[in-house]
């Protein structure tokens, strides 16, 4: 089942007197929180992006219009961060589906271990991202890490690998970590989709002599399409914004450049270099990227992906 | 919810495949957490062995004592509890009436409001960090609980509303109509009919908010910088020295920080998975 954007009003109830006023009061607390705590800072970001405001060079202030956006276009580090973000996005979204969909199918199987399976599914999803980053950095440790140990014992490698200080390997390590953390989310959504498929449809296919493979590709997969689409869009949005795990990895990985995502670059620009104006311009770029994906989502749900 | 597959005989190969898949899922989900528990019980010396020694030779709980003595971790824990619980209460208190209005009242511009809610749920936190920081500083809230409670409640509000709208919409309107014919007001219909029937939805939404708030790192790192105001997600990162990572100690802190989540998940897993899959989730 997909997130409910359009629970169709089953029947138009006549508007009662005073219903508009009631609606106003019911929506007021939520609106106050959203507008005051989220919308106001967001609008501030737009305004800030047009002004120079760098604490390390306080004499440089004033309205620069789109100047900082122009700066962004010529900023190689921004280009790299954007490329890294998209690269990680493709690998981690793809990876989380490769792992998450089979996980959902396994979790959907009947069995006595059902409760344990559910907990195993929820744990990675609920684990704080920063802590996930810490744990995996330890698992990937060059000297005492479990992954090296298992690979050496299995005879795949002779010498322990320096996961976090070898550029290519550090990227792989981070991708694996994010995939572990996010596959659960994909699995939960897909599991919801699986549970929404009427048993009769699968039985009918089997009665008609379909092999399990045929049943999966001809019956189950098409019915899962809306869940898969929703999981894909939500995962893409979180991938574009990824911050916590790269942030923890960078603390321990000398090969940082390849791990810097757009989120991390914004953080460093604003908090470490204290360049609030430029950080705001970078933030607007990230808004734009997130909103583009969101627009696809809204459109998808509007167009009746809500089966 | 139909959890069972249709009755059919599995071949031994299929049964083995099923067991292998489930075992992989369970090991994969639990392994990093269990590894942290094992690491937390080791001494520093035992840790620095390769090939890795998987089980500690004797259980050494001293790391847990050090977690609380080297940093005010009990205070971090209390801070996280307070912030997470209060942001959950605030978020649900705002989400319930809003979701009811969106699910039930004939609102003009309802589609637009729902689109706005979805859009709010997608805002990247890191982009809001600096202006939010200034907002909190302006309101003199830095290093207070509200500095985290307000943003956490607001950030989880969209997903809370979306989850509750799903649950409220699933309740037959006739039930409310009947109650209202019997003389209850709209608000009475909400509190006496809809709300009791959507307890699973409220529990799911509340758990989502709690988990999000407990796990949040960036705002907690930036807004509450006084040691006595730190939360556990930031707290676990405070044990690392400039050059050294005292892993057994960090592992013990990680275990303490994740215990509430593991407990919540173990207790509510049935209801939670059903609620998540019914309402849709955002990671």
């Amino acid at each position: 089942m997909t997130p409910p954007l359009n629970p169709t009003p089953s029947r138009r109830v006549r508007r009662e007197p005073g219903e508009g006023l009631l609606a106003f009061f019911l929506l007021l607390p939520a609106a106050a929180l959203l507008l005051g705590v989220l919308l106001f800072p967001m609008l501030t970001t737009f305004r800030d992006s047009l002004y120079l405001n760098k604490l390390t060079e306080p004499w440089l202030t004033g309205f620069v219009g789109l100047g900082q956006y122009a700066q962004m276009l010529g900023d190689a580090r921004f280009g790299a961060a954007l490329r890294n973000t998209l690269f990680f996005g493709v690998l981690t979204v793809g990876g989380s589906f490769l792992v998450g969909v089979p996980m959902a199918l396994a979790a959907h199987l009947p069995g006595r271990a059902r409760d344990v399976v559910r907990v195993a599914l929820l744990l990675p999803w609920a684990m704080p991202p920063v802590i996930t980053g810490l744990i995996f950095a330890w698992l990937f440790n060059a000297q005492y890490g479990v992954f090296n140990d298992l690979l050496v014992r299995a005879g795949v490698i002779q010498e322990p690998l320096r996961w976090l200080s070898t550029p290519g390997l550090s990227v792989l390590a981070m991708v694996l970590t994010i995939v572990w953390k996010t596959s659960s989310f994909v699995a939960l959504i897909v599991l919801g989709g699986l549970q929404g498929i009427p048993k009769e449809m699968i039985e009918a296919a089997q009665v008609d002599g379909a092999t399990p493979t045929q049943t999966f590709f001809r019956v189950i997969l098409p019915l899962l399409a809306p869940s898969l689409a929703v999981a894909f869009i939500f995962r893409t949005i979180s991938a574009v914004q990824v911050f916590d795990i790269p942030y923890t990895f960078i603390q321990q990985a000398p090969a940082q450049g390849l791990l810097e995502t757009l989120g991390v670059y914004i953080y460093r620009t604003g908090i470490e270099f204290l360049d609030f104006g430029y950080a705001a311009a970078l933030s607007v770029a990230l808004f734009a990227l997130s909103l583009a994906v969101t627009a696809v989502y809204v459109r998808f749900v509007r167009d009746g992906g809500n089966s | 919810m139909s959890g069972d597959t249709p009755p059919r005989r599995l071949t031994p190969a299929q049964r083995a495949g099923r067991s292998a898949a489930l075992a992989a899922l369970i090991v994969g989900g639990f392994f990093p957490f269990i590894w942290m528990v094992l690491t937390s019980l080791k001494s520093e010396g035992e840790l620095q062995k390769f090939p890795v020694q998987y089980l500690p030779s004797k259980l050494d709980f001293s790391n847990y004592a050090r977690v609380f003595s080297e940093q005010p971790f009990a205070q971090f824990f209390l801070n996280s509890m307070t912030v997470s619980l209060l942001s959950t209460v605030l978020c649900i208190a705002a989400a319930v009436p809003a979701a009811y209005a969106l699910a039930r009242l004939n609102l003009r511009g309802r589609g637009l409001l729902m689109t706005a809610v979805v859009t709010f749920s997608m805002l990247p936190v890191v982009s809001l960090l600096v202006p939010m920081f200034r907002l909190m500083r302006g309101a003199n809230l830095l290093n207070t609980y509200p500095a985290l409670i307000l943003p956490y409640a607001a950030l989880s509000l969209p997903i809370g509303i979306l989850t509750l709208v799903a649950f409220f919409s699933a309740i037959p309107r006739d039930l409310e109509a009947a109650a209202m014919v019997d003389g209850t007001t709209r608000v009475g219909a909400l509190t006496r009919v809809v709300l009791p029937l959507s307890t699973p939805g409220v529990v799911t939404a509340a758990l989502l908010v709690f988990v999000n708030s407990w796990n949040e790192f960036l705002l907690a790192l930036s807004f509450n910088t006084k040691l006595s105001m730190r939360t556990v997600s930031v707290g676990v990162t405070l044990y690392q020295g400039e050059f050294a990572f005292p892993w057994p100690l960090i592992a013990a802190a990680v275990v303490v920080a994740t215990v509430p989540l593991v407990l919540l998940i173990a207790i509510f897993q049935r209801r939670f998975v059903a609620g998540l899959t019914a309402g849709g989730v955002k990671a």
Side-chain angles (χ1 to χ4, degrees), chain A residues 139-142 145-152 157 160-161 163, chain B residues 50:
Chain A
L139 293 172
F140 282 116
N141 185 288
V146 173
F147 291 144
N148 272 341
D149 183 69
L150 292 175
L151 289 174
V152 168
I157 53 174
L161 298 172
W163 286 94
Chain B
F50 199 87

Side-chain angles (χ1 to χ4, degrees), chain A residues 13 48 115 126 149 153 241, chain B residues 52 54 106 122 134 215 270:
Chain A
V13 185
D48 288 354
D115 288 356
D149 183 69
R153 279 179 207 252
Q241 302 179 351
Chain B
V52 171
Y54 279 80
N106 280 317
M122 312 298 181
R134 295 219 294 250
N215 291 353
R270 258 172 234 232

Side-chain angles (χ1 to χ4, degrees), chain A residues 104-114 118 191 194-203 206 220, chain B residues 1-8 10 18 270:
Chain A
L105 294 170
H108 191 56
L109 295 172
R112 275 165 300 176
R114 214 151 232 286
R118 265 199 221 99
L191 182 61
L194 282 171
Q195 289 175 345
I197 296 176
K199 259 193 289 188
E200 294 74 28
M201 300 193 69
I202 295 165
E203 279 163 21
Q206 281 162 351
I220 297 179
Chain B
M1 185 177 102
S2 73
D4 316 310
T5 52
R8 67 187 149 105
L10 293 179
R18 179 182 72 179
R270 258 172 234 232

Side-chain angles (χ1 to χ4, degrees), chain B residues 5-73:
Chain B
T5 52
R8 67 187 149 105
R9 238 164 232 272
L10 293 179
T11 63
Q14 281 174 326
R15 200 169 306 153
R18 179 182 72 179
S19 304
L22 289 178
L25 173 56
I26 293 170
V27 171
F30 279 99
F31 175 71
F33 184 73
I34 289 175
W35 182 245
M36 273 336 230
V37 175
L38 290 174
T39 301
S40 73
L41 297 171
K42 290 179 183 170
S43 65
E44 195 93 35
E46 210 165 8
L47 211 63
Q48 298 179 355
K49 280 186 185 161
F50 199 87
V52 171
Q53 182 186 338
Y54 279 80
L55 295 174
S57 50
K58 69 173 171 50
L59 298 185
D60 178 2
F61 288 96
S62 65
N63 291 313
Y64 286 90
R66 282 176 63 204
V67 164
F68 290 95
S69 64
E70 292 194 8
Q71 297 282 351
F73 207 78

Side-chain angles (χ1 to χ4, degrees), chain A residues 29-111:
Chain A
L33 258 179
L34 293 178
L35 301 183
V37 185
L38 299 185
L39 187 66
F40 176 70
M42 187 184 151
L43 296 177
T44 313
T45 302
F46 279 101
R47 199 209 53 205
D48 288 354
S49 70
L50 306 175
Y51 290 85
L52 284 181
N53 182 6
K54 192 173 180 183
L55 286 196
T56 50
E57 293 164 56
W59 53 91
L60 289 177
T61 51
F63 182 78
V64 285
L66 299 178
Q68 300 187 108
Y69 292 96
Q71 181 189 343
M72 214 154 73
L73 294 180
D75 177 359
R77 194 166 166 186
F78 167 73
L82 188 62
R83 266 198 312 277
N84 292 344
T85 306
L86 297 176
F87 180 65
F88 279 122
V90 170
L91 291 184
T92 62
V93 173
S96 64
F97 272 79
L98 278 180
V99 179
V101 173
M103 270 167 71
L105 294 170
H108 191 56
L109 295 172

Side-chain angles (χ1 to χ4, degrees), chain B residues 60-116:
Chain B
D60 178 2
F61 288 96
S62 65
N63 291 313
Y64 286 90
R66 282 176 63 204
V67 164
F68 290 95
S69 64
E70 292 194 8
Q71 297 282 351
F73 207 78
Q75 183 66 44
F76 299 163
F77 201 86
L78 182 73
N79 293 340
S80 275
M81 256 320 161
T82 312
V83 167
S84 305
L85 281 176
L86 290 181
S87 47
T88 305
V89 170
L90 177 61
C91 182
I92 298 299
V96 165
Y100 183 78
L102 289 168
R104 278 301 199 259
L105 302 181
N106 280 317
L107 289 180
R108 230 170 275 141
R110 190 182 161 284
L112 206 64
L113 285 173
M114 289 302 277
T115 305

